[in-house]
Every structure is written in structure tokens, then in C-alpha cells.
Amino acid sequence: MPHLFLIVGLPGAGKTTRAAALAVTHRALRLTPDEWMIALYDGVQPDGKRDLLEGRLIMVALQALHIGTNVVLDFGLWGRDERSALRWLAASVGASCTVVYLPVDEDVQRTRVAHRQATAPHTTFPMSDTDLITWRAQFQPPDTTELNESSPVPGPPPGWSSWPQWAAGRWPSLPPLGLPPLGRSDP
Ligand SMILES: Nc1ncnc2c1ncn2[C@@H]1O[C@H](COP(=O)(O)OP(=O)(O)OP(=O)(O)O)[C@@H](O)[C@H]1O
Ligand SMILES: [Mg+2]
């Protein structure tokens, strides 16, 4: 059974480092949006483009899982609903899924982010101390139920009829009815 790893954590938590290691040990396709954003948009982040990019990377991930390839989604995934949607989508293509959570203390995070900015600025976006504080307040850490691979996926939030519909709202480049049949291209 193909496996999806969802890498969860704040900036500087060590997500991309862990994702790269998992990609090697599990022969998995690693999808890291920052690498694509930096390459495609020359180091800036135009409004809305990250969500569009992530949606297309999710489609790639689902197609890879569908043909039996393990995948590591190095997205950060701060929201519980994002993680639930992706767990549901993984199951819909016959894949198992693990939430890999990397907690990081504030001091360690600041030190790592500053060190990376100083030594490898081309691999990251600038982040201020205020950004880090704001983002930490927005982050929803996974609970023990979510971290248990065998826990059932909860239903979508009120007002949404399915996780694919919710996911198409969150990532507008995703089709609202789930993955189109393999091999079919858009008309
Ligand atoms: N376990 C670790 N111990 C010490 N340093 C680490 C560890 N994991 C990662 N680092 C270092 O911390 C910095 C941030 O790591 P990494 O880029 O993997 O974080 P990230 O979670 O992907 O951040 P972002 O969300 O900004 O992409 C890097 O310089 C990396 O070498
Ligand atoms: Mg990273």
C-alpha cells in the first residue's frame, strides 16, 4: 500500500530536513512548495499563488499514490482541517497516511531561522520575529488522535458536503469532485 507522509510544523521546525530523510528511507516523492515558489516566482510570493501551487502539488501527490509511489508532502499544514482533508484524499486513492509532527520551541526556532537566513537565504523567505509570533498563534498542533494513523478521519466542517469540496475551496486549483480518472486531461 502506498503511503503519504504529511509533514506538520512551524517554520524552522525541521520539516524539509525530515522530509528529505523520509524521501530517501521510503523511496518517496518529496513535494516542498517553498522550492517551487522560489524557483517559479523569483523569491517573492504573489498573492494566492501558493494556494494554487499547493493544489496542483496535491494532485501530483494523489496521482503518484494512485500508481503506488510513496509521497512526502512538506507543506507545514497548520490547520487540522487541512490535515483531515489530505488524510481523506489519501484514503480515497488507496493510500495509508501518517501525520508527522515536528514541534519546535520558540528559542530554537528563532536561532534556526536566523542561521538559515544567514547561511542559505536562497532556500527560504525572510521571516521577522513578529511573523514567528503571529504564526505560532495561528498554528493548530495535531492531537494524539490525529497522530494515530488508524484514527478515522472526522467529517468536513459544517457547511461543506465533502472533504473534496472543502479542499477545492482551500486549494482552488483542485477539482471539487476529487481526482479525475488517471490519464484524462482537461478538455
Ligand atoms: N533536528 C535538527 N537539529 C538541528 N538543526 C536542525 C534540525 N532540523 C533542521 N535543522 C536546521 O534548522 C534549519 C531549518 O530546518 P528546515 O529548513 O528543515 O525547517 P522547515 O521546517 O522546513 O522550515 P520552513 O517551514 O521555513 O521551510 C535548517 O538550517 C536546518 O539545517
Ligand atoms: Mg522547509
Side-chain angles (χ1 to χ4, degrees):
M1 187 188 246
H3 197 77
L4 175 65
F5 295 92
L6 300 178
I7 312 293
V8 177
L10 288 163
K15 297 182 301 297
T16 301
T17 305
R18 175 70 69 86
L22 286 170
V24 171
T25 53
H26 293 267
R27 296 175 58 87
L29 174 67
R30 175 176 63 88
L31 297 171
T32 298
D34 274 357
E35 294 177 354
W36 292 70
M37 288 296 292
I38 289 166
L40 290 172
Y41 300 111
D42 207 17
V44 295
Q45 303 209 64
D47 277 354
K49 294 296 186 195
R50 177 176 287 267
D51 292 340
L52 292 174
L53 171 68
E54 288 187 355
R56 287 290 146 161
L57 293 181
I58 291 167
M59 288 183 67
V60 171
L62 295 175
Q63 290 179 39
L65 292 166
H66 193 72
I67 59 172
T69 300
N70 297 328
V71 176
V72 184
L73 278 190
D74 176 22
F75 278 28
L77 300 169
W78 297 359
R80 182 185 174 90
D81 287 345
E82 294 173 335
R83 301 185 294 262
S84 295
L86 291 169
R87 290 171 61 207
W88 190 97
L89 289 167
S92 77
V93 294
S96 50
C97 182
T98 309
V99 174
V100 179
Y101 174 39
L102 300 171
V104 64
D105 291 342
E106 285 179 47
D107 290 350
V108 172
Q109 182 189 26
R110 261 197 309 274
T111 304
R112 284 188 191 167
V113 165
H115 180 259
R116 187 179 54 182
Q117 186 63 41
T119 57
H122 54 286
T123 67
T124 186
F125 292 101
M127 300 169 196
S128 67
D129 282 356
T130 310
D131 289 334
L132 298 184
I133 291 165
T134 306
W135 295 339
R136 187 173 285 271
Q138 294 169 351
F139 182 72
Q140 298 174 339
D143 59 22
T144 48
T145 308
E146 251 187 294
L147 294 172
N148 180 351
E149 202 180 305
S150 54
S151 298
V153 180
W160 297 93
S161 60
S162 69
W163 278 119
Q165 287 215 328
W166 184 91
R170 169 64 184 83
W171 295 287
S173 57
L174 269 183
L177 299 176
L179 188 65
L182 279 183
R184 205 190 103 187
S185 51
D186 292 335

